[in-house]
Amino acid sequence: MKKLLLLLLIAVSFTSCYTTYEVIPQKHNYSNSINYTIDKVEEGKSVAYGNGSYNASRGNKFVFVYLTFKNELEQKQDLDFDEFILLNPKTKTKHKAEWSMVVGPINLWGNIDSYIRSGDTKKRKLVFIYPEDDKAEYLLVKDEIVEIKYR
């Protein structure tokens, strides 16, 4: 019984693993006073949360884009993660962010409509559903195409 339990634990840990891609950090403008960098990109078939997990539909995967925002003004400003769209140049499809998550050891849901306090830095993980065989290469932010440059 213990061997079977151990085998199941190992199988679950291998199927829930993410592939992490390091990117070359570049500063981009979200607005005149807010800039952001893409910290890393991960891919996986499931998203865990407190009571279970969401699984990607057949032929798709989840793409997690980690972003760091910096507010240069001394006033609170709005962020709208609906303005972040993952582009697929093969199929010419736009994939909008499904969820925003707070970056941390536990998956916590954030709001798609958010804000950033004056002079603050905010880290978010945007979750996209993307075709399984394709690699995320371009992000459309407020009508500006940003290339995700991998190391």
Side-chain angles (χ1 to χ4, degrees):
M1 182 68 171
K2 288 182 182 180
K3 289 181 183 180
L4 179 62
L5 201 57
L6 180 63
L7 184 60
L8 284 173
L9 181 64
I10 291 171
V12 167
S13 67
F14 278 115
T15 59
S16 64
C17 291
Y18 294 147
T19 303
T20 303
Y21 298 103
E22 289 188 45
V23 297
I24 299 169
Q26 294 179 297
K27 191 181 283 189
H28 303 282
N29 290 326
Y30 175 76
S31 68
N32 289 339
S33 54
I34 299 175
N35 56 53
Y36 69 94
T37 57
I38 301 171
D39 300 324
K40 68 178 174 178
V41 175
E42 287 182 342
E43 298 176 347
K45 293 293 285 177
S46 65
V47 177
Y49 65 96
N51 296 332
S53 66
Y54 289 109
N55 295 314
S57 58
R58 177 174 291 162
N60 292 307
K61 64 185 172 189
F62 290 112
V63 174
F64 309 95
V65 178
Y66 289 76
L67 300 166
T68 301
F69 294 89
K70 174 74 174 148
N71 184 357
E72 302 292 340
L73 278 183
E74 290 302 319
Q75 67 187 45
K76 181 173 110 173
Q77 297 189 68
D78 292 330
L79 292 173
D80 185 3
F81 299 123
D82 271 337
E83 296 177 323
F84 287 81
I85 298 170
L86 208 52
L87 299 175
N88 188 339
K90 273 187 182 176
T91 62
K92 297 183 178 26
T93 307
K94 296 178 178 180
H95 302 273
K96 71 178 244 181
E98 299 292 326
W99 302 295
S100 166
M101 303 179 101
V102 177
V103 176
I106 300 172
N107 286 330
L108 297 174
W109 307 109
N111 294 327
I112 288 291
D113 292 330
S114 188
Y115 63 89
I116 186 168
R117 290 189 173 91
S118 63
D120 199 9
T121 299
K122 183 178 259 194
K123 292 184 176 281
R124 286 293 180 264
K125 174 170 60 170
L126 299 183
V127 182
F128 300 89
I129 297 175
Y130 203 72
E132 189 172 22
D133 297 331
D134 298 338
K135 186 174 182 181
E137 296 178 31
Y138 297 99
L139 198 60
L140 179 66
V141 182
K142 288 187 162 185
D143 298 325
E144 179 186 342
I145 296 176
V146 174
E147 182 179 3
I148 300 171
K149 296 186 178 183
Y150 296 98
R151 288 185 194 240

